[in-house]
């Protein structure tokens, strides 16, 4: 292991290298900035990652000859690269991302990490984001870590010994936050419907955003809730402190919450720091449907861009325009459906901000089906709940039309049947 400056570490990057970047709140932006400063000396360097926080300067069009982007989940900071031609998207279930590295299907030259300061025994933590990093670290030729005293120390697969790091760059900076809890009237109604579907003792999976927050706010009187999820945000803190979420009936951990990453405010990062209640595992574990199913009454809450009246769920694109990624939606939808008493829920407002219908007779041309109609169980909008289990196509058409915006219901049914006859 060497202790270098970011400038010195950046000189270890070579043209044609493929770099995997630590994700979300653990994004090592100081290292990234130093590499981008060498843009004129480099060509065809590939940055690959899921969602990251920060400006992602390597994704700028002016660096297209130096850097390329390969997203396993497309975040807003690199979304423009798809259209500009200096970026691409690799579809993958999040549960299978580590396998790409372990089997050299996506061979890695360099991993850029952000880790906590080593403890007395030389152990660091990956902080609030584990995801596929253990697999990347084990299979990359070079591991470079930004060591940051502000990074919270977390447990589980987040622990890494400093001997597994080739280069350390000390740079202390507050980690980036990402959180929005502004809840619209429609989202509040959706949250209320979903909260009514959640029984005491259920194991929760949900993401971040207004709808998950609306659900969490309405669960404070529940009991024995568990958390086995891909990610979580600030909203779980109030549930824990209210005594509603204690993971006492969760089977996959010993009275602990499990996730592969979290993202939120400084309050959240302080809360998880040195907190053994939270176990952060690689996504090959957290997102494995056969592990998820071991929990009782798994309630998986996911979202969609649009859904057609047969139950096909588009979640990674707007028509041909690639927008996000497959992520863990299918992993948890499948795990929930296999769980005893489980519920797989797709939650979405009935219309876009521009008033366009999200429950449609047919998906837009080019739209990606992330979750199949066979996986779909419950769909929730502000107008109610559609239970698609055991429903024929004709029954689904009517059930989904009934929870669409009233202005569209009649046309949805008419247009669907006109299209097939």
């Amino acid at each position: 292991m060497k202790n270098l400056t970011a400038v010195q570490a950046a000189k270890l990057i070579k043209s044609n290298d493929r770099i995997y970047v630590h994700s979300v709140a653990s994004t090592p932006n100081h290292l990234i900035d130093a590499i981008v400063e060498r843009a004129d000396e480099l060509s065809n360097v590939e940055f690959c990652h899921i969602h990251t926080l920060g400006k992602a300067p390597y994704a700028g069009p002016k660096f297209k000859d130096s850097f390329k982007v390969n997203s396993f989940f497309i975040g807003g900071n690199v979304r423009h690269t798809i259209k500009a031609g200096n970026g691409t998207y690799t579809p993958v279930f999040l549960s299978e991302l580590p396998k790409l590295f372990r089997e050299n299907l996506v061979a890695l030259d360099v991993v850029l990490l952000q880790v906590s300061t080593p403890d007395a025994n030389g152990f660091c933590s990956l902080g609030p984001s584990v995801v596929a990093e253990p697999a990347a670290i084990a299979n990359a030729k070079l591991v470079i870590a930004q060591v940051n005293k502000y990074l919270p120390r977390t447990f589980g697969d987040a622990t890494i010994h400093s001997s597994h790091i080739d280069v350390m760059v000390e740079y202390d900076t507050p980690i980036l936050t990402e959180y929005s809890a502004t809840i619209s009237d429609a989202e509040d109604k959706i949250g209320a419907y979903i909260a009514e579907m959640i029984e005491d003792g259920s194991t929760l999976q949900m993401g971040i955003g207004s709808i998950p927050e609306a659900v969490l706010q309405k669960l404070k009187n529940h009991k024995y809730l568990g958390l086995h999820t891909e990610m979580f945000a600030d909203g779980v803190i109030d549930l824990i402190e209210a005594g509603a979420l204690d993971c006492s009936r969760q089977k996959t951990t010993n009275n602990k919450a499990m996730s592969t990453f979290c993202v939120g405010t400084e309050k959240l990062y302080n809360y998880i720091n040195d907190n053994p209640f939270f176990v952060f595992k690689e996504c090959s574990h957290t997102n494995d449907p056969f592990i998820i199913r071991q929990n009782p009454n798994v309630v998986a809450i996911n979202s969609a861009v649009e859904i057609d009246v047969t139950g096909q769920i588009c979640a990674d694109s707007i028509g041909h325009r690639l927008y996000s990624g497959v992520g863990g939606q299918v992993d948890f939808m499948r795990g929930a459906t296999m769980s005893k008493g489980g519920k797989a829920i797709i939650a979405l407002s009935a219309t876009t901000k521009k008033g366009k219908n999200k429950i449609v007779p047919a998906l837009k041309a080019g739209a990606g089906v992330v979750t199949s109609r066979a996986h779909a169980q419950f769909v929730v909008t502000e107008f109610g709940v559609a239970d698609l289990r055991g429903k024929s196509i004709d029954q689904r058409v009517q059930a989904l039309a009934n929870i669409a915006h009233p202005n569209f219901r009649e046309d949805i049914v008419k247009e669907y049947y006109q299209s097939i006859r």
Side-chain angles (χ1 to χ4, degrees):
M1 183 185 65
K2 296 180 181 179
N3 287 288
L4 301 177
T5 66
V7 171
Q8 291 170 328
K11 291 180 179 178
L12 300 174
I13 306 301
K14 306 181 300 296
S15 293
N16 302 309
D17 274 351
R18 175 182 283 138
I19 301 172
Y20 182 74
V21 181
H22 202 167
S23 53
V24 205
S26 294
T27 307
N29 287 296
H30 183 57
L31 298 178
I32 291 169
D33 290 342
I35 294 170
V36 172
E37 285 294 317
R38 292 191 58 221
D40 291 343
E41 305 167 31
L42 298 169
S43 63
N44 198 40
V45 171
E46 179 183 305
F47 283 88
C48 62
H49 48 71
I50 63 164
H51 178 50
T52 59
L53 297 190
K55 296 180 180 179
Y58 52 86
K62 66 180 179 179
F63 298 127
K64 65 179 181 179
D65 293 330
S66 302
F67 307 121
K68 307 292 183 185
V69 179
N70 182 3
S71 297
F72 302 111
F73 190 96
I74 307 167
N77 56 357
V78 298
R79 197 167 287 140
H80 61 280
T81 63
I82 305 295
K83 185 176 181 180
N86 61 327
T88 190
Y89 163 54
T90 299
V92 61
F93 298 125
L94 194 63
S95 61
E96 297 183 0
L97 179 57
K99 184 177 181 180
L100 299 185
F101 304 144
R102 288 198 169 96
E103 298 186 0
N104 276 321
L105 295 169
V106 178
L108 300 177
D109 296 297
V110 183
V111 175
L112 299 182
L113 302 175
Q114 185 168 194
V115 300
S116 66
T117 305
D119 65 14
N121 296 307
F123 286 95
C124 305
S125 174
L126 296 170
S129 183
V130 172
V131 194
E133 275 65 16
I137 292 165
N139 289 277
K141 299 172 185 174
L142 178 66
V143 180
I144 304 175
Q146 174 181 323
V147 182
N148 184 0
K149 70 178 183 182
Y150 290 98
L151 202 74
R153 185 176 294 274
T154 57
F155 301 100
D157 291 342
T159 302
I160 174 176
H161 195 268
S162 53
S163 62
H164 294 163
I165 298 171
D166 299 306
V167 175
M168 283 188 164
V169 175
E170 293 186 11
Y171 187 79
D172 297 326
T173 183
I175 59 176
L176 296 179
T177 60
E178 184 177 86
Y179 186 65
S180 175
T182 302
I183 300 170
S184 68
D185 289 341
E187 291 161 342
D188 187 66
K189 291 176 182 177
I190 293 169
Y193 282 125
I194 295 175
E196 289 178 1
M197 299 169 67
I198 297 174
E199 304 169 19
D200 288 345
S202 294
T203 303
L204 306 180
Q205 177 264 323
M206 59 185 65
I208 59 174
S210 300
I211 291 177
E213 183 68 23
V215 176
L216 291 171
Q217 288 184 5
K218 299 179 187 305
L219 296 177
K220 294 176 185 177
N221 292 322
H222 278 61
K223 298 177 180 178
Y224 318 121
L225 296 175
L227 187 71
H228 178 142
T229 187
E230 173 184 316
M231 57 180 166
F232 66 92
D234 290 52
V236 303
I237 297 175
D238 289 342
L239 277 191
I240 295 168
E241 294 184 342
L245 196 156
D246 62 9
C247 301
S248 60
R249 296 186 180 177
Q250 188 170 317
K251 300 297 184 183
T252 51
T253 59
N254 183 19
N255 298 324
K256 295 182 179 182
M258 182 191 294
S259 184
T260 197
F261 74 89
C262 70
V263 60
T265 66
E266 187 176 351
K267 176 183 177 181
L268 178 69
Y269 302 141
N270 289 336
Y271 194 80
I272 65 170
N273 183 46
D274 273 326
N275 188 339
F277 181 70
F278 296 96
V279 177
F280 287 81
K281 301 289 286 184
E282 187 180 88
C283 57
S284 59
H285 183 89
T286 60
N287 288 47
D288 184 336
F290 295 95
I291 293 175
I292 295 166
R293 71 174 297 184
Q294 297 172 26
N295 294 309
N297 303 307
V298 173
V299 179
I301 305 167
N302 289 277
S303 61
V305 174
E306 64 178 1
I307 178 170
D308 77 12
V309 288
T310 73
Q312 293 189 113
I313 297 158
C314 172
D316 69 348
S317 68
I318 301 173
H320 290 282
R321 181 190 172 201
L322 295 168
Y323 190 79
S324 55
V326 172
Q329 181 173 121
V330 178
D331 297 330
F332 277 94
M333 293 283 283
R334 189 61 180 150
T337 59
M338 293 190 292
S339 163
K340 185 176 181 180
K343 299 181 179 76
I345 300 171
I346 292 293
L348 72 168
S349 56
T351 57
T352 68
K353 292 179 180 179
K354 295 181 179 180
K356 293 185 178 181
N357 190 25
K358 289 186 183 179
I359 296 178
V360 294
L363 300 178
K364 292 181 179 68
V369 177
V370 167
T371 301
S372 76
R373 55 172 70 101
H375 287 102
Q377 280 198 332
F378 297 92
V379 179
V380 182
T381 74
E382 66 269 34
F383 296 105
V385 180
D387 182 353
L388 304 184
R389 297 173 300 171
K391 296 293 194 299
S392 68
I393 292 296
D394 286 346
Q395 291 171 323
R396 287 170 173 238
V397 171
Q398 194 57 59
L400 287 166
N402 287 344
I403 63 166
H405 192 284
N407 291 350
F408 297 107
R409 290 175 186 174
E410 185 176 341
D411 289 340
I412 288 170
V413 176
K414 183 185 299 183
E415 288 179 26
Y416 173 75
Y417 284 111
Q418 285 177 343
S419 70
I420 65 170
R421 291 173 180 163

